[in-house]
Amino acid sequence: MSVTINEVRPGAYYDSVVLMQLQRELAQLPGIIDAGVVMATPANCDLLSSSGFSIEKEVRSDDLLIVVRAEDEKHAHSALEQVDELMTRKRQGSSPGYRPKSLEAANRQLPQSSWVLISVPGRYAAKVAHESLDINKNVFLYSDNVAVDEEVALKNSAKEKGLLMMGPDCGTAIINGVGFGFANQVRRGSVGLIGASGTGLQVITSEIHRLGGGISQAIGTGGRDLNEEIGGITAIRAVEILTDDPETKVIVLVSKPPAPAVVTKLLQIAWNCGKPFVVNLLGYSPAANRIGSLYFATSLTNAADLAVSLAQSPDLELPRIQVRPDALSHRGGYVRGLFAGGTIAYEVTIALRTFLQPIFSNLHIEGVEELKDVWQSRSHTMLDLGDDMFTQGRLHPMMDNDYRIRRLRQEAADPEVGIMLIDLVLGEGAHPDPAFELATVVKEIRQNSDRPDGAIEVIALVIGTDEDPQDLGRQIEQMEDAGAVVVQNIGLAISETISRILPAPAPRKEALKKQPFVAPLSVINVGLEIFTDSLKDQGAEVIGVDWRPPAGGDERLASLLSKLK
Amino acid sequence: MSVTINEVRPGAYYDSVVLMQLQRELAQLPGIIDAGVVMATPANCDLLSSSGFSIEKEVRSDDLLIVVRAEDEKHAHSALEQVDELMTRKRQGSSPGYRPKSLEAANRQLPQSSWVLISVPGRYAAKVAHESLDINKNVFLYSDNVAVDEEVALKNSAKEKGLLMMGPDCGTAIINGVGFGFANQVRRGSVGLIGASGTGLQVITSEIHRLGGGISQAIGTGGRDLNEEIGGITAIRAVEILTDDPETKVIVLVSKPPAPAVVTKLLQIAWNCGKPFVVNLLGYSPAANRIGSLYFATSLTNAADLAVSLAQSPDLELPRIQVRPDALSHRGGYVRGLFAGGTIAYEVTIALRTFLQPIFSNLHIEGVEELKDVWQSRSHTMLDLGDDMFTQGRLHPMMDNDYRIRRLRQEAADPEVGIMLIDLVLGEGAHPDPAFELATVVKEIRQNSDRPDGAIEVIALVIGTDEDPQDLGRQIEQMEDAGAVVVQNIGLAISETISRILPAPAPRKEALKKQPFVAPLSVINVGLEIFTDSLKDQGAEVIGVDWRPPAGGDERLASLLSKLK
């Protein structure tokens, strides 16, 4: 037989970590089988019921509910009697002293604070974050369960004010050497990180520390920042901050699978930041380990390795797509790729999707749009002309250039096209002289295309060997004579394309002589008390707000009160 | 004004390349605007109609249909009169002499032939391929439009007979230095290739040649071989052949995105082949550049680079997941991963999906099954316990181990579990002593699990630094004392898992002293005449079959005749 007793303490608010600690201590008392200590929200009451506790009394959301199941009534009562003592002991151990009841009061007490760390329950979090931005504080928003539209509103507001808004659901950051939320103790140094993934930041920063490197700043964005809806507002701001930071020599970006359009935007900025930039997008496969100054890591450990190596030497020998700086000539216009080789089309498209969005194609690739009417290109388009839909009643384009020639003319007639990509695959079985036919149309296209930014550029990828029956040298010569840019491997075809589309990387800026964040670090903590302790232990100036749900957790009343204000 | 004239030649069969060449020559004659030369199948007649040609006469599928549009009647007639002359000239230029009318006749003439190259229209191709296997020939099936079930039947039949069946829709192969289908002229050497992607093979072999390397054999599989339905029958046979081939020092696999379960099977064999193995799966991101003797290429060019380097030295320094050979101890049992860190769970799952299938998870990753009931693991299961569904009314597992401890006990009670993976993420904000709680349950699990193959193994990944408040050394010590295998980076966690699941790589076999394929190469060609020319030019012994559709293309009659046989 066991005995279960409830106790309700009306209007006594404690945060969830404090409650968990109390619950654990109660459960370890002699004669106690199990214990529950929660704020009596309907969800928590349901959870207790499903754990076999019956709630007998009338409770409200702002009541503290304590339930113990004991071997007998004596032990149960004895446990409940110890609640106050346990609470007091806890209070004495952590953050003693006066705690202001509101953000405004805290700010009066610590006006030099430049940060607010928020970990209140999700339904209250956006409001506290808005208040923080309104008094010009940067925000670290640990709370989750904040709506996407609230996130967009908060981030846009921060952007307007030139503030940094990390989160919601931001688990980790290290600012001026002080960890926010979950963060490892690491050496300060020259690697700046941006993480849309909390544990990702922890793993990389720990590994950098283990390898002897150090961290300038580690900026969390919240897990949704690189989604379509948010568009990477915080990540972009973070790149700007780390670009301008004189301490940061290498930048690392780690994220769970991001939206392709957001990656594109972010990498175009990264491309232009003038510092080596390590990219670790989980589960996202780029076409090279290195493209220009962008380094694509294969794992979190590899990202840390690369960062530490790049901090020592900003140029690593890696399989890469090399971008010729002298080829950089930013041109408008869409890219249209017309390929005979399916795999060539595939690899080019995978690489370009990282930089150009949207791309349309008849290939099925994540992050690439389906071109529904394959006879009519849109935006950037990459076509595998060896696909069945193009070879009905026709030979494969490896043997028969007719349709490709027609399509080249069709693309050239589109005034929005700037670059065309074609492949010539030589060898046994293939067309005996593909360049003869293709050079004619390339010449015609280049002569006829009369635009303000010059003729359409045609990049011709010639795949073959010096022993192939078509005479490799002669094939190249014919294409070059027609005015095509001839390359002999896919990486070069990709780099010649990227070089013409992306803006030329800016010359390395004179580093600003200014820390990106105010030092010494001064923070207002609203929410979990353990964070106040943690910040203090790390040497930051902190004030913890004695936050309670507005109107005692009565949301109807709270909404009424806020209207009366 | 223009004049269009049709000519129909009943029962005159020519292959599609010959027809294209004739069409082109006609179109270039004086006064001719456009020309069409096709076998008069309904599909081809539709295509001609859509190109603006009206077909006035009654035609049958085995009729040759010639259409010319000319400036005037005189030029049109003159062009048609030249058809015979053009045909004769073509015939004299290519493969003159007697051509047997059937595969049987060709085989009597060239009984030493070990290959049949088939490029007849798709609807006839499976039958010719079956006939070829029946007379014990290896098959290169260039034709497409062969049904999947036919492909499975052909490949199983080849497997039983110990023959190699490349294709259908196999564009490229190089056997004993001779290119089949589309193939580049490349040096012979020590790199053996397997391609489920035709152009992929061409690009890599050309690049290897350019880098000074050479090819032992390049085996095509057809584009669907690594799909679920086919299961990689030909690719697996190809790995076996190249493993046994004394000339092959390095093996390269290139494929369009494959089915995860097939990749797993193939990599387990590759893992065990005793030769360095380069994997280039387009758009498929592994968790390291190298795992044991498997090298994951980031591009076709990178695959060629790696192959040439490995041919010179079979061990390359690359970011890798190193597999301790001494840790290899093949154990039965499923792997269950219970992670506090979401990104850690993600990276481990991405790496393991390459080797273990199926894997279930609450993470959304391609090639990983959704675990619908997250409270009950199945097969190999990887769980992100920080996910909302697990933290309802509970703190994050970084702070609260309660659910994880319960779940560890639950997994341990499953007799099919062999390995458990957990992470301990230290640092500010996290649980003050996670190892204290987790070590207790790990010890209990290891003592209670009494199976024929020893206790359940627990791999504990500890992420943190020597400056973290939890005391890294003490955390590790507690876990080790409890009997866990402790690692400090994700790559090691993955390799310790793989090491226990995969069979130990076999010691390098004494290379067979036998060529994998009969030399000199002797081939029967059924289909496109250009392939006969191409094979001859490359020095192979060839006989071309003067193939025509059975029963003059009348499929009803053909089916009747085949039943009478």
Side-chain angles (χ1 to χ4, degrees):
Chain A
M1 259 308 289
S2 70
V3 176
T4 302
I5 305 191
N6 300 347
E7 184 174 322
V8 178
R9 301 193 170 195
Y13 179 80
Y14 294 94
D15 77 45
S16 50
V17 174
V18 169
L19 296 177
M20 176 195 70
Q21 290 165 340
L22 182 60
Q23 172 171 322
R24 235 179 242 166
E25 282 162 335
L26 280 183
Q28 281 163 10
L29 290 177
I32 300 299
I33 300 164
D34 203 355
V37 183
V38 295
M39 295 311 298
T41 61
N44 285 338
C45 291
D46 285 353
L47 258 172
L48 280 183
S49 302
S50 73
S51 305
F53 287 110
S54 57
I55 319 295
E56 285 149 28
K57 305 185 186 158
E58 273 290 303
V59 290
R60 290 162 31 127
S61 288
D62 63 337
D63 295 344
L64 174 66
L65 175 61
I66 306 168
V67 199
V68 290
R69 183 180 299 139
E71 286 164 7
D72 52 46
E73 211 150 324
K74 193 177 122 258
H75 280 105
H77 282 293
S78 157
L80 285 177
E81 278 156 22
Q82 291 178 61
V83 167
D84 286 314
E85 197 196 320
L86 290 171
M87 281 297 196
T88 314
R89 205 190 303 157
K90 184 157 296 306
R91 210 10 84 73
Q92 279 167 349
S94 80
S95 326
Y98 170 74
R99 299 201 309 157
K101 304 269 185 223
S102 73
L103 186 59
E104 294 80 11
N107 192 35
R108 279 194 299 275
Q109 211 173 322
L110 203 63
Q112 69 274 33
S113 59
S114 52
W115 287 93
V116 179
L117 199 163
I118 303 167
S119 52
V120 302
R123 58 192 179 283
Y124 307 114
K127 191 157 173 291
V128 180
H130 274 299
E131 287 168 12
S132 307
L133 294 172
D134 287 347
I135 54 171
N136 280 305
K137 311 290 182 191
N138 296 301
V139 170
F140 177 91
L141 183 49
Y142 174 89
S143 315
D144 54 8
N145 285 312
V146 172
V148 171
D149 54 348
E150 278 292 6
E151 178 168 352
V152 173
L154 284 167
K155 288 186 168 175
N156 279 328
S157 162
K159 190 177 162 188
E160 274 168 34
K161 293 169 190 283
L163 295 167
L164 189 61
M165 164 77 211
M166 301 196 271
D169 202 10
C170 187
T172 299
I174 302 173
I175 302 297
N176 293 0
V178 173
F180 288 6
F182 303 128
N184 298 90
Q185 286 294 341
V186 296
R187 200 175 297 114
R188 296 205 69 179
S190 60
V191 180
L193 298 104
I194 302 159
S197 140
T199 335
L201 276 185
Q202 285 198 265
V203 171
I204 298 182
T205 52
S206 294
E207 185 71 11
I208 288 173
H209 176 86
R210 208 185 58 75
L211 293 170
I215 308 303
S216 56
Q217 308 288 347
I219 299 173
T221 68
R224 286 188 307 217
D225 193 65
L226 298 193
N227 288 6
E228 201 83 48
E229 305 92 323
I230 316 289
I233 301 175
T234 296
I236 290 168
R237 181 82 194 99
V239 176
E240 291 165 356
I241 288 171
L242 297 177
T243 299
D244 287 346
D245 174 23
E247 299 300 319
T248 301
K249 307 289 179 221
V250 184
I251 302 175
V252 178
L253 169 70
V254 55
S255 168
K256 292 190 189 171
V262 181
V263 172
T264 300
K265 195 161 57 172
L266 203 56
L267 290 191
Q268 290 188 357
I269 298 170
W271 168 267
N272 215 346
C273 80
K275 299 184 180 184
F277 200 107
V278 178
V279 183
N280 186 17
L281 305 174
L282 303 174
Y284 198 95
S285 69
N289 289 2
R290 175 176 175 183
I291 301 180
S293 61
L294 301 178
Y295 295 78
F296 293 90
T298 49
S299 66
L300 298 165
T301 311
N302 182 221
D305 264 345
L306 285 170
V308 172
S309 304
L310 287 164
Q312 280 152 13
S313 141
D315 186 29
L316 294 184
E317 267 311 315
L318 276 182
R320 72 167 112 172
I321 293 175
Q322 192 134 23
V323 180
R324 285 194 296 133
D326 61 307
L328 290 168
S329 54
H330 183 45
R331 308 168 48 82
Y334 290 134
V335 184
R336 301 279 159 85
L338 303 175
F339 297 96
T343 304
I344 296 173
Y346 205 96
E347 188 162 307
V348 169
T349 307
I350 282 181
L352 291 183
R353 76 175 165 172
T354 320
F355 293 95
L356 309 177
Q357 283 285 336
I359 294 188
F360 290 83
S361 179
N362 62 335
L363 295 164
H364 302 289
I365 298 177
E366 221 187 307
V368 173
E369 307 285 322
E370 186 192 345
L371 184 68
K372 294 215 171 98
D373 175 5
V374 297
W375 310 102
Q376 187 58 54
S377 301
R378 300 178 53 186
S379 171
H380 306 295
T381 294
M382 299 289 134
L383 290 176
D384 170 11
L385 296 182
D387 198 339
D388 285 350
M389 58 188 85
F390 292 111
T391 56
Q392 283 290 343
R394 214 180 264 124
L395 290 176
H396 193 279
M398 215 95 100
M399 293 190 282
D400 180 356
N401 290 307
D402 277 5
Y403 179 68
R404 190 143 64 146
I405 287 168
R406 255 196 285 156
R407 187 71 182 239
L408 277 164
R409 291 203 178 102
Q410 179 185 324
E411 305 297 348
D414 179 344
E416 295 201 276
V417 168
I419 296 172
M420 292 208 270
L421 258 163
I422 53 174
D423 59 346
L424 286 76
V425 183
L426 312 181
E428 290 295 334
H431 191 285
D433 191 0
F436 176 75
E437 296 184 350
L438 291 166
T440 311
V441 65
V442 167
K443 198 169 176 182
E444 169 197 317
I445 285 171
R446 288 194 46 84
Q447 282 172 351
N448 294 351
S449 66
D450 185 20
R451 337 183 160 219
D453 53 354
I456 289 178
E457 296 249 36
V458 180
I459 298 167
L461 168 62
V462 180
I463 297 291
T465 74
D466 50 0
E467 296 179 18
D468 279 333
Q470 288 88 351
D471 187 346
L472 178 64
R474 181 79 194 107
Q475 295 297 310
I476 292 173
E477 199 182 294
Q478 291 181 83
M479 294 310 291
E480 281 179 344
D481 286 352
V485 176
V486 178
V487 291
Q488 287 190 71
N489 80 53
I490 302 181
L492 281 176
I494 294 163
S495 76
E496 290 290 338
T497 309
I498 293 175
S499 301
R500 283 170 175 76
I501 291 295
L502 291 184
R508 226 179 154 115
K509 278 190 213 161
E510 192 55 42
L512 296 181
K513 293 285 169 256
K514 169 179 161 304
Q515 278 257 14
F517 301 115
V518 177
L521 201 75
S522 180
V523 185
I524 295 170
N525 180 42
V526 191
L528 301 178
E529 283 180 45
I530 49 159
F531 288 152
T532 302
D533 303 342
S534 157
L535 290 165
K536 275 191 186 150
D537 290 349
Q538 297 180 76
E541 201 174 15
V542 193
I543 191 153
V545 173
D546 186 15
W547 184 87
R548 280 141 203 271
D554 181 332
E555 290 177 39
R556 222 166 52 91
L557 180 59
S559 141
L560 215 64
L561 286 174
S562 95
K563 278 177 194 144
L564 288 175
K565 253 206 225 171
Chain B
M1 258 310 287
S2 69
V3 177
T4 302
I5 306 190
N6 300 346
E7 183 175 321
V8 177
R9 303 191 169 193
Y13 179 80
Y14 294 94
D15 77 46
S16 50
V17 174
V18 168
L19 296 177
M20 176 196 70
Q21 289 166 341
L22 182 59
Q23 171 171 321
R24 239 181 237 165
E25 281 161 336
L26 281 182
Q28 280 162 12
L29 290 176
I32 301 300
I33 300 163
D34 202 357
V37 183
V38 295
M39 297 310 300
T41 61
N44 285 337
C45 291
D46 285 353
L47 259 171
L48 280 183
S49 302
S50 74
S51 305
F53 287 111
S54 58
I55 318 298
E56 287 147 26
K57 305 182 187 161
E58 273 290 302
V59 290
R60 290 163 31 128
S61 287
D62 64 337
D63 295 344
L64 175 66
L65 173 61
I66 305 168
V67 199
V68 290
R69 184 181 298 139
E71 285 162 9
D72 52 43
E73 213 151 323
K74 193 177 121 256
H75 281 106
H77 283 293
S78 157
L80 285 178
E81 278 157 22
Q82 290 180 61
V83 166
D84 287 314
E85 199 197 318
L86 289 171
M87 281 298 201
T88 314
R89 207 191 303 156
K90 184 157 295 306
R91 210 9 88 70
Q92 279 167 351
S94 79
S95 324
Y98 169 75
R99 300 201 307 156
K101 304 268 185 222
S102 72
L103 186 59
E104 294 79 12
N107 192 35
R108 279 194 300 275
Q109 210 173 322
L110 202 63
Q112 69 275 33
S113 60
S114 51
W115 287 93
V116 179
L117 199 163
I118 302 167
S119 52
V120 302
R123 59 191 177 283
Y124 307 114
K127 191 158 174 291
V128 180
H130 273 300
E131 287 168 11
S132 307
L133 294 172
D134 287 346
I135 55 171
N136 280 306
K137 310 291 181 191
N138 296 300
V139 170
F140 177 91
L141 182 50
Y142 174 89
S143 315
D144 54 8
N145 286 311
V146 173
V148 171
D149 54 348
E150 278 292 5
E151 179 168 350
V152 173
L154 284 167
K155 287 186 167 174
N156 279 329
S157 162
K159 190 177 161 187
E160 274 168 35
K161 293 169 191 283
L163 294 168
L164 190 61
M165 164 78 211
M166 299 196 271
D169 202 10
C170 186
T172 299
I174 303 174
I175 301 299
N176 293 0
V178 174
F180 289 7
F182 303 128
N184 297 88
Q185 286 293 341
V186 295
R187 199 175 299 114
R188 298 207 66 181
S190 59
V191 180
L193 297 105
I194 303 158
S197 141
T199 336
L201 276 184
Q202 286 197 264
V203 171
I204 298 183
T205 52
S206 294
E207 186 70 12
I208 288 173
H209 176 87
R210 207 185 59 74
L211 293 170
I215 307 304
S216 56
Q217 308 287 347
I219 299 173
T221 68
R224 287 187 306 216
D225 193 66
L226 299 193
N227 289 8
E228 201 83 51
E229 305 92 322
I230 317 290
I233 303 175
T234 297
I236 290 169
R237 181 82 193 99
V239 176
E240 292 166 355
I241 289 170
L242 296 177
T243 298
D244 288 345
D245 174 22
E247 298 302 318
T248 300
K249 307 288 180 222
V250 184
I251 303 175
V252 178
L253 168 71
V254 55
S255 168
K256 292 189 188 171
V262 182
V263 172
T264 300
K265 195 161 58 172
L266 204 54
L267 290 191
Q268 289 189 356
I269 299 170
W271 167 265
N272 214 347
C273 80
K275 299 184 180 183
F277 199 106
V278 178
V279 183
N280 186 16
L281 306 174
L282 303 174
Y284 198 96
S285 69
N289 288 2
R290 175 175 175 183
I291 302 180
S293 60
L294 301 178
Y295 295 78
F296 292 89
T298 50
S299 65
L300 297 166
T301 311
N302 182 221
D305 264 345
L306 285 171
V308 172
S309 304
L310 287 165
Q312 280 152 11
S313 140
D315 186 29
L316 294 185
E317 267 311 316
L318 276 183
R320 71 166 116 172
I321 293 175
Q322 192 135 22
V323 180
R324 283 195 297 132
D326 61 307
L328 290 168
S329 55
H330 183 45
R331 307 169 49 80
Y334 289 133
V335 183
R336 301 280 160 85
L338 303 175
F339 297 95
T343 304
I344 296 172
Y346 205 96
E347 188 162 306
V348 170
T349 307
I350 282 180
L352 290 183
R353 75 175 165 174
T354 320
F355 294 96
L356 308 177
Q357 281 287 337
I359 293 187
F360 290 83
S361 180
N362 62 335
L363 295 164
H364 303 288
I365 299 177
E366 220 188 308
V368 173
E369 308 284 323
E370 187 192 346
L371 184 67
K372 292 211 174 100
D373 175 5
V374 297
W375 310 102
Q376 186 58 55
S377 302
R378 299 178 53 185
S379 171
H380 306 294
T381 294
M382 298 289 134
L383 290 176
D384 170 10
L385 296 183
D387 198 339
D388 286 349
M389 58 188 83
F390 291 111
T391 56
Q392 281 291 345
R394 214 180 264 126
L395 290 176
H396 193 279
M398 215 95 101
M399 293 190 283
D400 180 356
N401 291 307
D402 277 5
Y403 179 69
R404 190 142 65 144
I405 288 168
R406 255 197 284 157
R407 187 71 182 240
L408 277 164
R409 291 203 178 103
Q410 179 184 325
E411 304 297 347
D414 179 344
E416 294 200 277
V417 169
I419 297 172
M420 293 208 268
L421 257 163
I422 53 173
D423 59 347
L424 286 75
V425 183
L426 312 181
E428 290 295 334
H431 191 284
D433 190 359
F436 175 76
E437 296 184 351
L438 290 166
T440 311
V441 65
V442 167
K443 195 168 176 182
E444 169 197 317
I445 285 171
R446 287 193 47 83
Q447 282 172 350
N448 294 352
S449 64
D450 185 21
R451 339 184 157 219
D453 53 356
I456 289 177
E457 296 248 35
V458 179
I459 298 168
L461 168 62
V462 180
I463 298 291
T465 74
D466 49 1
E467 297 179 16
D468 279 334
Q470 289 87 351
D471 186 346
L472 178 64
R474 180 79 194 110
Q475 295 296 311
I476 292 172
E477 198 183 294
Q478 291 181 81
M479 294 309 292
E480 281 179 343
D481 286 350
V485 176
V486 177
V487 291
Q488 287 189 71
N489 79 54
I490 302 182
L492 281 176
I494 294 163
S495 76
E496 289 290 337
T497 309
I498 293 176
S499 301
R500 283 171 174 76
I501 291 296
L502 292 184
R508 225 179 157 115
K509 276 190 213 163
E510 191 55 42
L512 297 181
K513 292 284 169 258
K514 170 179 159 305
Q515 277 257 12
F517 302 115
V518 177
L521 200 76
S522 181
V523 185
I524 296 170
N525 180 41
V526 190
L528 301 178
E529 282 180 45
I530 49 158
F531 288 152
T532 301
D533 302 344
S534 158
L535 289 165
K536 273 188 187 155
D537 289 349
Q538 297 181 75
E541 202 174 15
V542 192
I543 191 153
V545 173
D546 185 13
W547 183 87
R548 280 139 203 273
D554 182 333
E555 290 178 37
R556 224 167 52 91
L557 180 60
S559 140
L560 215 65
L561 286 174
S562 95
K563 279 180 194 141
L564 288 176
K565 254 207 222 163

